[in-house]
Amino acid sequence: MKGSDFFYFSSRCRKQRMMALASKSERAKEAHLLLASAYADRATLAMLNGE
């Protein structure tokens, strides 16, 4: 991973959360929240690894 990975994954997480809020379908909302959670986990790992 590169030094900007934290910013990449945190921005992707934020985008997925915004898409979940805009979703009308419960299934789509759940999928966006699941992706947001995965991106948040990757951002945390990048931050902890100093990348």
Side-chain angles (χ1 to χ4, degrees):
M1 288 189 179
K2 298 178 183 175
S4 62
D5 283 348
F6 170 74
F7 296 108
Y8 172 77
F9 288 121
S10 62
S11 67
R12 295 297 297 173
C13 174
R14 191 176 325 112
K15 182 177 180 182
Q16 289 298 323
R17 289 187 192 278
M18 289 173 57
M19 290 174 73
L21 289 173
S23 294
K24 306 249 188 241
S25 162
E26 280 298 315
R27 186 173 173 204
K29 191 175 292 193
E30 290 174 11
H32 287 302
L33 290 175
L34 185 65
L35 275 173
S37 177
Y39 282 129
D41 290 344
R42 291 296 302 264
T44 302
L45 283 175
M47 181 180 64
L48 292 175
N49 289 333
E51 298 174 348

